[in-house]
Amino acid sequence: MSKIIASAVIRGAHKLVKQAEDMLEEVISEKGKDFAFEFPDTAFYLPMVYAMTGFPVKTLGDMRVAVGYAKEMLHPEPDEQLWVPYLGEALDSGMSTLFAEEVILALKYIKGLEPMTDPETGYVYNGFITDTIQRNLGIQLVDGTMPGFAAIIGAAPDDDTAVSIVRELQEKNILTFLSGNVNGNSVTKQLLRKGVELGWDTRIVPLGPDTEHTLYALDWAIRASLIFGGKKPGDFKAHLKYQKDRVFAFAIVLGELNDIIWTTGAGAINMGFPAVADTDVPVIHPTGVCIYEEVDKELDHTKIAQRAIEVRGLKIIVEKPPIPVAYGPAFEGERIRKEDMFIEFGGQRTPAFELVRMREIEEIEDGKVTVIGEGWQEKYEKGGKMPLGIVIDVAGRKMQKDFESVIERKMHHNINEAQGLWHMGQRDINWMRISNNAKKDGITLEHIGHIMTTMTHHRFRSIVDKVQVTIYTDEAEVNRMSEEARRIYKERDHRLGSLTDEAVDTFYSCLLCQSFAPSHVCVISPERLGLCGAYNWLDGKAAYEIDPTGGNQPIQKGQLLDAKFGRYEGVDDYLKKASGGAVESLNLYTIMENPMTSCGCFECIIALVPEANGIMIVQRGHTGMTPAGMKFSTLAGSVGGGTQNPGFMGIGRNFIVSKKFLHGDGGIKRIVWMTKNLKEGLKEEFDKRAAEEGVPDLLDKIADEGVAEDSEKLLEFLSSAGHPALEMEPMI
Ligand code: SF4
Ligand code: ZN
C-alpha cells in the first residue's frame, strides 16, 4: 500500500485551485471582472465561501478573492512519503478544494454548462440546490422523517447493487445525493437503466456526473447553519461545529479513489461528514496511527449503507407494515401515471371517502381488517376503477374526539408511503391509485387495512390502544356510509370553528426546529398554526399526549396582558426559558413589536411595506421580485435563525385567514400585496373573512405580481383600487 493519502488530498487541491484560477481568468477576459453572478434562487452567494469567510461573491472579480482564499489555505505539494504530519494541512487543503470547486461550478453556470445533461439518456441533473428546496424540506429534517443525507460518489460494480444500496437508504428515509463516475459509469446511470424514479420526490437526487458536483450537497449542508442555525457568515468555527453536531451527512464512495475524490472527501471530513468506501482504502498508517478516523471501508455492498449510517452515529428505527411492497416516506412523492395504473378509487370517478371514528375499547377488535362488498376480489382483479370507503375505528384510554382529524390526516401519508400506492385529498374528496407493479407484487385491499392498523398504532402509540379497519367497496354501501362521514366532518368543522384563543387555557409550543434553530419556539394557539404549516393546535395537543416529553409542550397561557397584540403572561414566562433567553416577550398578533421568531421553514413571509402603510405576503417558492424590494430568498435571509425581527415574520399559510392575523395591526385590511398563488389558494376563506371585516371585495383591492413588483406601481394600484390600508392609521 503506498502512502498517498495526505499527499493525494493536497495534490488534488492544487489541481482544482489551478483549474479554478485558469478558468476564472478565461471567463473574465471574455465577460469582464464586473460580470455579476448568482447561483439560482439563493441569498447566500457562493454559500461555502460566504459561510466560511463572510465574503459575498457577487461578481467575477469577487471570485478572484475566493480563489485567493483557496490559495492561502493550500500547502506546498508534499513528497510521496508524507502522512501524519500533513494531516491538519490536508484538511485545510480540503477546504481550499471546496472553494475551488464552488468557483469552478459557478463559472460553468456562466458558461451555460450547468446543470449538466447526460448525453446518453437526456437526463438533466439537478445542479445547484436552491434555497426553496432547502426550506421545503425543513420540517422533515427536524421531525425525524428525514434522519440524514448520503452522498454516493462513483458507480456500483453492477446495476442491481446500485439499486439495492439506494433502496436501502430510501427505506431508511435518507436523502441521497449522487455524483461522480467511474470510467463514465455512475450510480445515476445505473438507476436510470433500472427504471428507478429519480428526483426530490423520491429522495434520490443526481447532482452531476463529476466528483466536483458533490460540492452542491455540501453547499446545501452549509446553508443549514446559515438558514436554520442563524450562524453568522464568516464564523467558520460555529459553522463547522453546527455541521458536525446537527447535519447528519455521510458519504459512500463506490469504486477506485483518485486525487479529486480524496481532496473533496477531505473537505467533507472538515465539515464533520465521514465516508465509507467499497475499496481497500488505507485507513491505518503502517505505524498504527489512524489516518482519518472518518474514513472507513466496507467491501460487502449489502452492508455498506448500514456501515455508513453507523459511522455517522445515526439511529434509525423503521416501522414497516406487513405488505408485499417497499414502505417509507421516500416513496411518498412517487406518482402513478395512467399507463402505470392498475386500479383507482375516488377522484370524482367513483364514490369514495375516508374516516376515523373514536370508539369504546370494548367495541372494537384490535388489528381486525374487514372488506365489505360482494365479490370484491373479482371486481378488484379486473382493475380499472372501484368505489372505496375506508373507516378506521380507534379506541384508547387517552384517545379524545379531537384527535380523530389528526389521525385521519395521516391516512394520506400511510398510503403514500407504500411503493406503488398513491393518494391525494382527504375526507370525501380523496383519490387513490394502485400501480401495476404493486399489483404484481401482490397488494390487495386488505393490505391497505393492514397499513392503517400498523401505522396508526405506530404514529399514535400512546393514545391509541386498538385499531380496526373496515373497507367498503359496494357503491350503495359507500354512499350510505359517506352520509355518516359527512355528518361527522360537519360536526368537527363546527367544533374547530369554535376553538378560539380565548376559549382555551393552554397553548402548545413546538420545539422541533430547535434541533436546527436552537432559540426558535413556535407558539401554537387555536387561531395560529406553526409557521411551517404542518402543526396546528390539535396536532400539538395530540403530539403532547403521544409523547409528554417530546417537542410539543403545553403552555399555560396565564393572564392576558394585552388583548389587542395577543400578549400573555404565561407565554412570556415559558418563552424566556424555552428560547434560552433569546425571547423575553411575545406578541402573537402583531408584526411590529416582539413578533414571533422564525426558524427557516416558514410557508410564507410577511414584510412591512411602509410606503403603502401595509404589509405584503410572499410564499416559499415564489421567485419573482416583491414590493419590499427583495425576493423571497433574500427576505428569508433576514427572518430566519430564531430571532425577532419587527417588520418581518415567517408564518403558516392558513394563518392569513385567521381572525387573529395581525389583529393588533388592523388585520387582513393591512394586506396590500400578496402573490396570485396565495390569492387563488385562499380565496374562499379569504372572501369570508373579508366580508366579516366589512370589505367583501378586499381581494380585488390587493395587488399581486401581475400589477406590481415595486412599491411605485403598488401605490398607483392601491390608490386606484381604493385600498383600505391607505386610510388606516399609520403603522409606524
Ligand atoms: Fe418547526 Fe414551528 Fe413547524 Fe414546529 S411548528 S416544526 S417549530 S416550524
Ligand atoms: Zn422550522
Side-chain angles (χ1 to χ4, degrees):
M1 190 60 55
S2 67
K3 306 169 186 178
I4 54 155
I5 302 183
S7 27
V9 168
I10 297 172
R11 208 166 45 225
H14 274 270
K15 252 185 239 170
L16 287 164
V17 171
K18 173 94 172 50
Q19 190 189 340
E21 198 170 24
D22 292 350
M23 225 171 128
L24 177 59
E25 291 315 315
E26 175 207 315
V27 178
I28 287 181
S29 68
E30 197 183 309
K31 310 238 178 218
K33 69 174 177 33
D34 296 328
F35 185 84
F37 172 78
E38 52 187 35
F39 278 120
D41 186 21
T42 182
F44 302 103
Y45 315 101
L46 303 196
M48 190 64 66
V49 173
Y50 187 55
M52 293 297 151
T53 69
F55 181 71
V57 172
K58 298 178 184 172
T59 63
L60 286 173
D62 292 343
M63 285 185 206
R64 278 187 177 140
V65 180
V67 172
Y69 286 132
K71 275 177 139 172
E72 249 173 63
M73 289 183 287
L74 271 183
H75 289 273
E77 291 204 54
D79 71 44
E80 292 296 303
Q81 302 304 315
L82 291 169
W83 272 76
V84 182
Y86 265 78
L87 191 53
E89 295 168 358
L91 289 179
D92 289 348
S93 294
M95 191 49 75
S96 52
T97 291
L98 302 189
F99 284 16
E101 288 177 336
E102 202 168 39
V103 168
I104 291 169
L105 291 170
L107 294 170
K108 286 192 174 172
Y109 259 98
I110 295 174
K111 293 169 119 207
L113 300 173
E114 284 288 318
M116 288 179 73
T117 304
D118 178 44
E120 285 162 38
T121 56
Y123 182 81
V124 182
Y125 290 95
N126 186 86
F128 183 80
I129 301 164
T130 65
D131 288 4
T132 302
I133 287 175
Q134 183 133 17
R135 289 175 198 282
N136 282 346
L137 295 175
I139 316 140
Q140 301 187 36
L141 303 180
V142 297
D143 73 1
T145 42
M146 199 179 267
F149 325 103
I152 304 186
I153 302 165
D158 56 76
D159 296 1
D160 288 328
T161 304
V163 173
S164 68
I165 293 173
V166 169
R167 284 280 185 244
E168 185 176 345
L169 293 168
Q170 259 186 320
E171 288 217 19
K172 298 205 156 100
N173 310 327
I174 287 174
L175 175 60
T176 302
F177 296 116
L178 306 176
S179 59
N181 70 81
V182 175
N183 302 324
N185 196 14
S186 68
V187 172
T188 304
K189 289 188 184 185
Q190 295 177 316
L191 297 182
L192 283 171
R193 280 197 288 271
K194 284 292 185 179
V196 174
E197 203 182 318
L198 304 177
W200 290 99
D201 287 342
T202 56
R203 300 188 178 186
I204 312 168
V205 184
L207 298 171
D210 300 323
T211 302
E212 290 87 325
H213 289 113
T214 315
L215 188 269
Y216 288 138
L218 301 175
D219 255 0
W220 189 63
I222 199 70
R223 268 176 294 165
S225 39
L226 287 161
I227 292 180
F228 301 106
K231 301 289 171 245
K232 295 281 165 288
D235 189 352
F236 68 92
K237 280 197 187 130
H239 281 284
L240 293 179
K241 180 162 187 340
Y242 185 95
Q243 297 292 315
K244 197 171 170 55
D245 293 348
R246 294 173 193 267
V247 179
F248 295 104
F250 55 87
I252 295 176
V253 182
L254 303 176
E256 284 305 319
L257 280 76
N258 56 34
D259 290 357
I260 304 296
I261 298 179
W262 272 116
T263 197
T264 306
I269 288 169
N270 226 339
M271 292 172 69
F273 308 151
V276 176
D278 70 343
T279 48
D280 200 11
V281 293
V283 291
I284 303 289
H285 181 246
T287 60
V289 178
C290 192
I291 294 305
Y292 283 148
E293 248 176 74
E294 297 87 346
V295 180
D296 210 331
K297 61 186 170 192
E298 176 55 70
L299 307 187
D300 181 348
H301 288 97
T302 62
K303 296 194 184 130
I304 197 163
Q306 187 52 37
R307 180 92 196 98
I309 287 167
E310 281 162 15
V311 170
R312 186 62 183 98
L314 283 177
K315 286 196 185 56
I316 297 174
I317 308 158
V318 184
E319 187 70 22
K320 186 181 183 295
I323 52 170
V325 295
Y327 195 86
F331 303 100
E332 247 199 278
E334 176 199 36
R335 278 173 297 262
I336 298 174
R337 287 168 309 175
K338 233 182 144 87
E339 312 84 85
D340 304 326
M341 178 192 88
F342 166 66
I343 192 168
E344 66 184 326
F345 315 90
Q348 314 298 327
R349 291 154 173 84
T350 66
F353 73 94
E354 54 201 38
L355 176 70
V356 170
R357 295 185 303 197
M358 178 170 136
R359 284 276 181 267
E360 294 302 327
I361 300 243
E362 55 287 354
E363 283 177 332
I364 60 177
E365 189 184 318
D366 188 34
K368 186 170 158 198
V369 173
T370 320
V371 185
I372 297 184
E374 207 142 322
W376 72 267
Q377 278 102 338
E378 293 80 55
K379 286 184 219 159
Y380 176 76
E381 286 306 318
K382 267 198 276 166
K385 54 186 178 211
M386 202 171 167
L388 187 72
I390 306 175
V391 176
I392 305 186
D393 289 317
V394 297
R397 274 154 302 137
K398 290 170 82 185
M399 179 63 195
Q400 300 179 21
K401 236 178 156 21
D402 272 351
F403 300 156
E404 285 179 345
S405 59
V406 176
I407 299 174
E408 198 176 286
R409 214 147 31 93
K410 282 290 174 195
M411 292 175 76
H412 171 76
H413 302 278
N414 295 348
I415 295 175
N416 263 333
E417 290 185 12
Q419 189 179 23
L421 265 57
W422 174 88
H423 180 278
M424 215 176 97
Q426 17 74 35
R427 294 188 169 181
D428 58 347
I429 52 164
N430 61 343
W431 183 11
M432 194 177 129
R433 283 182 165 173
I434 295 178
S435 76
N436 283 318
N437 281 338
K439 173 63 177 49
K440 264 189 227 128
D441 290 338
I443 204 108
T444 72
L445 291 184
E446 275 149 337
H447 287 124
I448 292 173
H450 294 310
I451 293 176
M452 295 301 175
T453 56
T454 312
M455 294 313 288
T456 305
H457 268 300
H458 172 62
R459 295 191 207 270
F460 300 97
R461 50 193 173 280
S462 52
I463 51 181
V464 163
D465 298 326
K466 284 181 169 186
V467 187
Q468 170 182 304
V469 176
T470 314
I471 292 175
Y472 299 87
T473 64
D474 270 347
E475 182 148 354
E477 277 293 298
V478 174
N479 283 332
R480 185 181 66 80
M481 285 303 296
S482 59
E483 282 310 310
E484 180 187 340
R486 282 192 200 108
R487 190 180 51 73
I488 296 175
Y489 302 148
K490 221 174 176 170
E491 270 170 30
R492 269 191 215 155
D493 288 346
H494 190 76
R495 153 105 177 111
L496 216 56
S498 68
L499 267 182
T500 59
D501 290 1
E502 293 78 16
V504 301
D505 296 327
T506 310
F507 295 163
Y508 289 89
S509 67
C510 186
L511 306 169
L512 284 180
C513 283
Q514 289 201 341
S515 61
F516 274 101
S519 63
H520 173 71
V521 180
C522 270
V523 176
I524 304 178
S525 71
E527 294 178 272
R528 181 168 187 171
L529 78 172
L531 56 83
C532 59
Y535 292 87
N536 63 28
W537 186 80
L538 285 179
D539 296 316
K541 187 173 170 203
Y544 173 63
E545 291 295 335
I546 292 166
D547 181 5
T549 58
N552 298 94
Q553 292 296 315
I555 306 175
Q556 297 311 321
K557 66 180 191 186
Q559 201 193 334
L560 179 64
L561 301 175
D562 188 330
K564 189 171 170 212
F565 290 111
R567 185 163 162 239
Y568 292 90
E569 195 173 13
V571 173
D572 280 0
D573 288 345
Y574 177 86
L575 276 177
K576 267 175 229 154
K577 277 179 253 141
S579 72
V583 178
E584 290 277 315
S585 180
L586 176 80
N587 290 319
L588 277 168
Y589 313 144
T590 175
I591 188 182
M592 300 306 289
E593 200 191 313
N594 296 329
M596 187 101 80
T597 59
S598 302
C599 43
C601 39
F602 29 73
E603 286 187 296
C604 301
I605 296 176
I606 321 180
L608 184 68
V609 188
E611 306 92 308
N613 199 31
I615 58 102
M616 54 148 278
I617 314 174
V618 55
Q619 87 280 6
R620 186 167 71 203
H622 183 80
T623 51
M625 195 35 103
T626 76
M630 288 181 264
K631 294 181 185 170
F632 179 91
S633 53
T634 318
L635 274 169
S638 51
V639 214
T643 53
Q644 291 179 314
N645 304 282
F648 298 94
M649 186 163 67
I651 57 161
R653 198 177 164 101
N654 280 337
F655 183 47
I656 300 171
V657 289
S658 157
K659 279 191 180 142
K660 295 298 193 297
F661 175 79
L662 301 195
H663 176 69
D665 305 324
I668 52 171
K669 284 188 283 187
R670 284 291 183 189
I671 307 173
V672 292
W673 189 95
M674 177 157 88
T675 60
K676 282 184 188 155
N677 174 300
L678 289 172
K679 277 177 149 183
E680 282 157 19
L682 294 170
K683 183 168 176 23
E684 202 175 310
E685 280 167 277
F686 193 95
D687 283 346
K688 220 160 77 198
R689 282 287 303 118
E692 285 166 3
E693 296 292 322
V695 199
D697 58 346
L698 180 60
L699 208 52
D700 301 329
K701 297 178 194 284
I702 296 175
D704 56 40
E705 69 271 30
V707 296
E709 286 189 323
D710 59 58
S711 61
E712 208 171 300
K713 287 232 178 57
L714 173 66
L715 280 178
E716 269 170 40
F717 176 86
L718 296 177
S719 50
S720 72
H723 193 289
L726 300 178
E727 308 291 321
M728 291 165 79
E729 61 179 282
M731 277 190 95
I732 37 177

